[in-house]
Structures are given as C-alpha cells and as structure tokens.
Amino acid sequence: NLTLVLSLNNIKSIEPGAFAGIHLAELALRSAFEISMMQTSLQGLAGLQVSRLIVGVFNDDDREQDFEKGLLDGLCQVQMEEFVLICLRDFEDDTDTLFDCVGNVSTIRLVDLGLEQISQVPVGSKVKQLECKKCGFDDVPAMKLSLFKELRVLRITKNRSLKTFEQKFEGLSNLEVIDLSENRLTFSRCCSRQFRNCPNLKHLNLSFNSYIRLTGDFNNVENLLYLDLQHTTLFGPGSYPVFLSLQRLIYLDISHTKTEVKFQCTFCGLNS
C-alpha cells in the first residue's frame, strides 16, 4: 500500500528495470522530469504494478510538457488500475497514441489538457470509467467515445469551449452514468436523440450548462433514475408533460432553470 511521490523533481532518467516487480498503491510523477525527458524516463517503469499512476505537470511549472507521439509508450509494460494524465498542453498528430498503452486500464482521468478531440480507441478496450475535465472539446465527442464498449461511467466536465452536442452515443450497453455538467452546452431535442442503444443509462447530469430544449422524447433513456438539470435554462418543462416516459425516475432537479409551471400535467409520468 505504499504511495511514492516523485513530483517536483528534476529526474534525468529512470534506469530500465528499476521498478520491475514493485507493487505500489500510487506513483505520482508531476513536474518530475527534466524538459524533454518524460518519454525516455517512462520507459524505465516497465514491470511496475500500481493502483494509480499520475503523470503530468503542475499549472505553475515553467517546464511545460506537450503531448508528442509515443509519449506514453513506456506504460505498455506497466500494470495499473487507474491512470491520471494532467496539465499537458499541445497535442500533436491528433493525439493518435494517447490510448495505445492505457486502453486496458479500468479508470482513466484526463485533467486540464489541451485535448481537442479523442484519440483512436484500441480495439477491445477495457476502460470502464473515463473522465475528461477541463479539456478543449467544442462538441461532445460521442462518436469516438462510443468505441469504449466496456464504459460504465463517463464524465466530461468544466470544459469552457464545449458548447454543442451534435454527435450521438451509440451501442454502449454497459453505460450507467453520464456527467456533462459545468460546460456551456446548448442543444435541442433532449434526450433520446443523443443516446442510442444505451439501455442501462441510469444517471444523467446536465446541470450548469447554457440552454437545453426538452421535447419529451426520452424513449432511449426511459430507465433513467437520476436526472439533474439544475442551473441550466430549460425550454419545454412547464408547458407540456416532457417527463411522461420517465416512469422509473426517482430524482429530478430543475431548480434555477427558469421553468414556469403553466401546465397542470407538468410532472405527469413521474410515478416513482
């Protein structure tokens, strides 16, 4: 259960095999390497078994690190349950190697990255939880994310440039939780259109966004238990029974949504 923090160092290299056979609860490597030495140094982690691996830099560090092709190749020989990549700026080559060596990690967190699109997803990926926080998306990258067939929890939050939701999630039969809160989303025809063949989706968080129009079409997400829309301007509720098909819903938050109840059957269908 040892946690090893090597952050804020000036590591020039890690000798190959130095971590072979070592088991750690957590290894933190933020702002730990000399400039341009991260890729070479990560090769030295081969043989490590770790529950959580944190790689990246600190916001206020002068040693800015861009994502270059093959940067994480050294992690192909590391066994880990959770991988955190934090505070990397420019991504070259459309980020095509981002998931090459972490596609079988159960939990991946991408935090404060200059990531504008999702990389190629390895066939047979085992990722079950994915978080993209403070990234650079302008549209919800649902098409690429739908290739993570084992995905159960997806969080895309605090992306200031994320304003549109044109793509569709499709074929994610294991997906249970989607958190798209604290972005700047504006879209209509919520929410069946955005989710196809996602029968186990139970938690949907769209709070703290811009404008969402509810049409009452929840056929593809009729098993929802939790729907959070607070602090997002809504169109639809209050005028007609938009929640009619959400028979199983047990939590609904439409506070601070500028909803004016004008229709007697506004909450019809919410039998749970």
Side-chain angles (χ1 to χ4, degrees):
N1 294 325
L2 179 66
T3 293
L4 179 59
V5 179
L6 295 177
S7 301
L8 293 173
N9 274 293
N10 208 26
I11 297 172
K12 295 179 174 62
S13 66
I14 296 177
E15 184 177 343
F19 283 87
I22 293 179
H23 298 251
L24 294 174
E26 180 177 305
L27 174 60
L29 295 167
R30 293 186 66 182
S31 298
F33 305 105
E34 281 194 354
I35 295 176
S36 302
M37 296 308 297
M38 179 182 289
Q39 182 172 349
T40 302
S41 297
L42 291 178
Q43 300 281 349
L45 299 182
L48 171 67
Q49 296 184 42
V50 59
S51 295
R52 179 189 295 116
L53 176 62
I54 304 172
V55 174
V57 298
F58 287 98
N59 265 328
D60 57 355
D61 197 312
D62 293 334
R63 291 173 288 180
E64 288 191 2
Q65 175 69 53
D66 295 338
F67 189 95
E68 302 169 353
K69 187 175 182 179
L71 179 67
L72 304 179
D73 283 358
L75 302 185
C76 282
Q77 304 301 318
V78 176
Q79 295 183 40
M80 52 186 154
E81 298 174 12
E82 179 179 346
F83 175 62
V84 183
L85 186 64
I86 187 166
C87 290
L88 269 63
R89 293 294 168 242
D90 295 331
F91 279 68
E92 297 181 358
D93 300 318
D94 295 329
T95 72
D96 279 343
T97 64
L98 175 57
F99 295 112
D100 282 5
C101 289
V102 296
N104 289 324
V105 178
S106 179
T107 300
I108 296 178
R109 298 183 62 232
L110 307 175
V111 182
D112 202 2
L113 304 182
L115 183 65
E116 297 179 355
Q117 56 182 301
I118 291 292
S119 173
Q120 294 295 327
V121 178
V123 176
S125 168
K126 302 299 183 185
V127 177
K128 292 180 173 59
Q129 297 189 48
L130 177 62
E131 178 181 2
C132 304
K133 180 179 179 181
K134 295 183 179 179
C135 292
F137 307 133
D138 54 17
D139 186 17
V140 178
M143 189 178 301
K144 281 282 188 69
L145 291 172
S146 293
L147 298 176
F148 287 102
K149 295 302 182 183
E150 299 294 321
L151 201 61
R152 295 182 181 177
V153 178
L154 173 64
R155 303 186 190 280
I156 303 177
T157 61
K158 298 187 177 181
N159 294 267
R160 293 183 177 180
S161 59
L162 185 54
K163 298 179 180 180
T164 60
F165 195 167
E166 297 295 332
Q167 300 179 34
K168 303 174 182 64
F169 289 101
E170 188 161 2
L172 293 175
S173 59
N174 296 310
L175 188 64
E176 296 182 3
V177 177
I178 288 189
D179 183 353
L180 296 174
S181 63
E182 297 185 77
N183 299 302
R184 296 183 177 180
L185 288 172
T186 295
F187 64 99
S188 60
R189 297 174 63 191
C190 178
C191 290
S192 194
R193 175 182 173 274
Q194 289 79 18
F195 304 98
R196 296 186 177 178
N197 299 319
C198 302
N200 290 309
L201 185 62
K202 295 179 175 63
H203 295 252
L204 179 58
N205 189 347
L206 295 167
S207 63
F208 293 90
N209 277 289
S210 296
Y211 304 94
I212 296 177
R213 181 178 294 277
L214 302 180
T215 62
D217 184 4
F218 288 95
N219 291 334
N220 288 339
V221 291
E222 59 185 10
N223 290 321
L224 276 180
L225 301 177
Y226 176 105
L227 179 59
D228 191 348
L229 297 162
Q230 63 176 300
H231 290 274
T232 298
T233 299
L234 299 180
F235 298 93
S239 301
Y240 52 95
V242 296
F243 306 115
L244 196 60
S245 61
L246 295 178
Q247 303 282 330
R248 301 182 181 180
L249 200 70
I250 58 176
Y251 178 90
L252 173 66
D253 194 337
I254 57 171
S255 60
H256 304 282
T257 59
K258 299 182 180 179
T259 296
E260 184 178 351
V261 178
K262 301 177 182 179
F263 182 63
Q264 187 174 2
C265 205
T266 295
F267 300 107
C268 286
L270 299 178
N271 301 321
S272 296

